[in-house]
Amino acid sequence: MRTYEQDAKTLELPWPFTGRADELELVRGALTAGRPGIVVTGPAGRGKTRLITEAVRGTDHARVTGTPEARDLPLAAFAHLLPDTVSLHRAVRALSGVRLLVVDDAQLLDETSAALVHQLAVQGRTRLVVAAADGPPAPGAVSRLWTGELLPRLALDPLSPEDTAQLLAGAGLEPLTVRRLHQACRGDLRLLRDLVTALTGSGRLTPVPDTGEHAWRGPLPVTPAVRERLAPALERSGPGERDALERLAFAEPLPLPVDELDLDVLERLEADGLIDVDDQGAVSLAHPLHGAALRATAGRLRARRLARAPFAHGPALDAEQHTLVRRMDRLDVRPVPTPAGEWLVAQGGPLPAGYAEVRARFARLRGELREAAAWAREGLRETPSHGGCLRELALAEGTPGEVTEPDGVHALYTAVRLGEPGRAAGRLPAGSVFARHADALAHGDGPALDRAAQALAERGFLLYAAEAHAQAVRVHRDPRAARLSRTRAVALARRCQGARTPALAGLVLGELTARQRQIVTLAAAGLSNREIAERLTLSVRTVGNHLYSAYTRLGTGDRGALPWLADVPERETA
């Protein structure tokens, strides 16, 4: 789903509304007849306003917004809906005819406005969609909307890495830059927009050869939004605390032992939520943005004195590489922390090709194909002829069977992914998840394939899990089971950065009529219903009806899933 309606508090053109399919359905469901509405909460910048705007689009509704300037003026937020002077009781009566009321920034409402919202919820004639930011306490009448169970509450999580990547798809950024931005912003979409704008306008993005993408390496641009988020941490800093924060910033990515810093200072910083202390007594900054911002604002002489020598991170890099290899040998590619490697890439330092090869392989096995290619390119930057990185780049950009796998187990397992389990019969590790997948496919056992897919996903093999579910679709005898497998395959494939493999190709479009296949293919390529109608000389309503029927057969209601179902590339965001 994409929308380009501009809103003062949301991402500007051409950023699309991305992800949040489950949350959008939940909010829309709360607006149906007989429902009281919903409260959406979360930190500032998380996308509450944008989500609600999408949910109420096309409906008849009124909107009020709390502001800091009017917090002490009774009913100021409702001034455009009420007479100049009105009591709370009369205000409730005056608004009883409003069927849907959106209340934004409810934590900033004056007490009378908050009481009015609460009374409307108690009365129950007006459905309410309320957005309230975490942080400073909201008026009691607002918080009682959910603590008193008048309205259900949706606590908005950050966008996932996959949805963040989709949001930034039109910015032409390479995957490691997208990952860095996602980690730095922690779900703050306004900060994300601010950083991307600063990077694109400051010349800090460098082209990545042969990709058409750009990379961010080096320090953080200290924008006004960055300073705004850094200010509370520095304003609370007492004697010695700023010094400790800067020492921690320049120690990254490695934590410092507690005994290297003043314990009283650390206790105050921990109480303020500015540092983390792990079970081994190592100390690090709690927010990734703080370290980057503190390094960027330090003077040159202080930075030179506090900075660690590059070789100080060598042992940590070796340890990360060893951990990744061990996990892959155990057929387990669930995420593990790798701060040293990510820090070295972010700083633009030379990345050892051996480490880059291992990181690329680990990402590829997880189905993160674009990241795998990016890690391989990082290794080739310093060692252009490194065979391992060249092979990983080819594997990430190709299809199964085109390039020989370096590992015997994975080379055998490629035959299973290609639908030829007989070639690997009896040769995969006994009892392993790969062997279970091969056995289920050989016996044409749909439920067993779904179980193998679940086990693969639990171990981090998301692409392999998607392929196993897709194979289950073709052998299930129960149409409902096939639709469920298809939905799971699509959901996993969406997390695999545009992977195209034989098992996923043209996923079950054969169940559709010829007209439905035609319309779904165009929708998957990014055309709107109106554009499809104009191309096929149909009415917009007819296109919508065909898509609805197709969604029902395909087991999905998500337009964003169509490229994986139709096996066509997504159209670039304009």
Side-chain angles (χ1 to χ4, degrees):
M1 175 178 295
R2 294 178 177 176
T3 180
Y4 299 96
E5 179 174 320
Q6 190 165 355
D7 182 276
K9 292 184 58 182
T10 60
L11 299 176
E12 296 175 348
L13 297 173
W15 289 35
F17 177 78
T18 299
R20 305 288 193 206
D22 293 340
E23 294 93 334
L24 188 61
E25 182 179 354
L26 186 63
V27 176
R28 283 177 172 166
L31 306 183
T32 57
R35 301 286 183 88
I38 195 169
V39 177
V40 182
T41 64
R46 183 146 297 177
K48 301 179 295 297
T49 300
R50 186 62 180 273
L51 172 66
I52 290 174
T53 299
E54 288 298 316
V56 303
R57 187 181 301 282
T59 66
D60 185 14
H61 66 277
R63 183 185 292 264
V64 299
T65 303
T67 62
E69 297 79 11
R71 196 167 188 178
D72 296 326
L73 301 176
L75 295 178
F78 288 87
H80 61 296
L81 299 176
L82 297 172
D84 290 342
T85 57
V86 63
S87 66
L88 177 61
H89 177 69
R90 291 189 61 189
V92 173
R93 292 181 58 187
L95 293 176
S96 61
V98 176
R99 294 303 175 209
L100 176 59
L101 177 65
V102 174
V103 183
D104 202 3
D105 280 336
Q107 78 282 357
L108 299 177
L109 290 176
D110 63 88
E111 293 292 343
T112 309
S113 293
L116 174 55
V117 173
H118 189 272
Q119 286 299 311
L120 290 172
V122 171
Q123 185 188 66
R125 296 177 184 174
T126 301
R127 288 191 295 278
L128 296 167
V129 184
V130 181
D134 299 341
V142 170
S143 60
R144 286 196 297 274
L145 291 173
W146 62 87
T147 59
E149 300 184 353
L150 285 170
L151 298 177
R153 179 187 183 189
L154 169 61
L156 207 58
D157 292 327
L159 276 183
S160 68
E162 296 82 17
D163 286 335
T164 301
Q166 185 180 349
L167 184 68
L168 295 173
L173 302 176
E174 56 93 38
L176 302 186
T177 295
V178 172
R179 173 192 281 269
R180 186 181 178 189
L181 286 166
H182 174 78
Q183 293 173 339
C185 295
R186 284 193 169 182
D188 189 331
L189 300 182
R190 286 185 289 179
L191 176 60
L192 180 65
R193 178 185 60 189
D194 185 70
L195 286 179
V196 171
T197 301
L199 289 171
T200 55
S202 65
R204 298 196 187 200
L205 294 175
T206 58
V208 180
D210 304 321
T211 67
E213 298 175 334
H214 288 75
W216 168 34
R217 301 291 184 264
L220 179 83
V222 183
T223 67
V226 171
R227 292 185 185 277
E228 176 186 340
R229 284 151 183 79
L230 185 62
L234 301 183
E235 288 171 358
R236 293 198 301 266
S237 300
E241 293 178 5
R242 174 63 182 259
D243 179 73
L245 290 173
E246 287 188 340
R247 290 187 62 189
L248 290 168
F250 280 93
E252 291 182 333
L254 307 179
L256 284 178
V258 167
D259 55 15
E260 288 194 20
L261 298 166
D262 186 288
L263 185 57
D264 292 336
V265 170
L266 292 181
E267 288 177 353
R268 292 196 296 270
L269 292 173
E270 185 179 26
D272 286 338
L274 297 177
I275 64 169
D276 289 329
V277 182
D278 66 20
D279 295 336
Q280 286 71 45
V283 189
S284 58
L285 293 168
H287 197 295
L289 184 67
H290 289 166
L294 285 165
R295 289 192 297 271
T297 55
R300 290 186 178 181
L301 293 177
R302 184 161 181 77
R304 186 181 302 171
R305 180 168 66 85
L306 293 176
R308 290 189 175 188
F311 59 79
H313 304 99
L317 206 64
D318 292 341
E320 288 179 7
Q321 180 174 339
H322 178 72
T323 298
L324 294 173
V325 170
R326 186 173 68 248
R327 293 288 292 273
M328 288 187 287
D329 288 344
R330 295 177 179 176
L331 301 185
D332 184 352
V333 292
R334 287 172 291 182
V336 293
T338 52
E342 290 172 11
W343 179 88
L344 193 59
V345 167
Q347 300 308 307
L351 190 71
Y355 179 91
E357 176 191 356
V358 170
R359 281 304 304 264
R361 186 183 311 152
F362 193 84
R364 176 173 58 80
L365 294 179
R366 285 183 45 77
E368 298 165 345
L369 302 188
R370 294 185 65 239
E371 284 196 23
W375 281 108
R377 290 191 190 97
E378 284 297 316
L380 293 171
R381 212 159 48 91
E382 293 299 317
T383 315
S385 60
H386 190 269
C389 287
L390 288 170
R391 181 173 55 244
E392 286 300 327
L393 181 60
L395 285 166
E397 294 182 337
T399 58
E402 288 185 351
V403 184
T404 303
E405 283 272 5
D407 182 293
V409 171
H410 291 277
L412 289 170
Y413 184 63
T414 297
V416 181
R417 298 176 59 202
L418 292 172
E420 302 172 356
R423 289 169 48 193
R427 302 169 65 189
L428 292 167
S432 70
V433 66
F434 288 1
R436 281 181 277 163
H437 182 188
D439 185 66
L441 184 60
H443 289 87
D445 188 334
L449 278 168
D450 285 330
R451 290 193 296 271
Q454 183 177 355
L456 285 163
E458 289 172 353
R459 287 181 165 264
F461 295 104
L462 303 186
L463 177 57
Y464 297 171
E467 292 174 329
H469 277 309
Q471 290 169 339
V473 171
R474 298 176 173 91
V475 299
H476 272 305
R477 297 181 179 178
D478 182 352
R480 291 173 298 178
R483 283 194 293 270
L484 181 58
S485 297
R486 181 189 310 113
T487 299
R488 291 171 173 170
V490 169
L492 288 166
R494 292 193 68 188
R495 300 170 62 184
C496 294
Q497 302 180 351
R500 298 288 190 270
T501 71
L504 299 177
L507 191 57
V508 297
L509 281 186
E511 292 190 8
L512 304 182
T513 66
R515 177 63 87 182
Q516 287 171 346
R517 285 198 300 273
Q518 186 181 30
I519 291 174
V520 164
T521 300
L522 292 173
L527 274 68
S528 68
N529 287 13
R530 184 168 299 279
E531 290 171 328
I532 296 171
E534 291 173 354
R535 178 171 298 192
L536 301 181
T537 320
L538 299 172
S539 71
V540 175
R541 185 172 183 176
T542 298
V543 171
N545 289 339
H546 277 302
L547 277 175
Y548 178 81
S549 299
Y551 287 148
T552 302
R553 292 194 181 191
L554 296 174
T556 181
D558 184 359
R559 197 183 190 100
L562 293 180
W564 282 268
L565 293 169
D567 192 37
V568 298
E570 285 189 278
R571 188 174 66 176
E572 291 289 335
T573 301

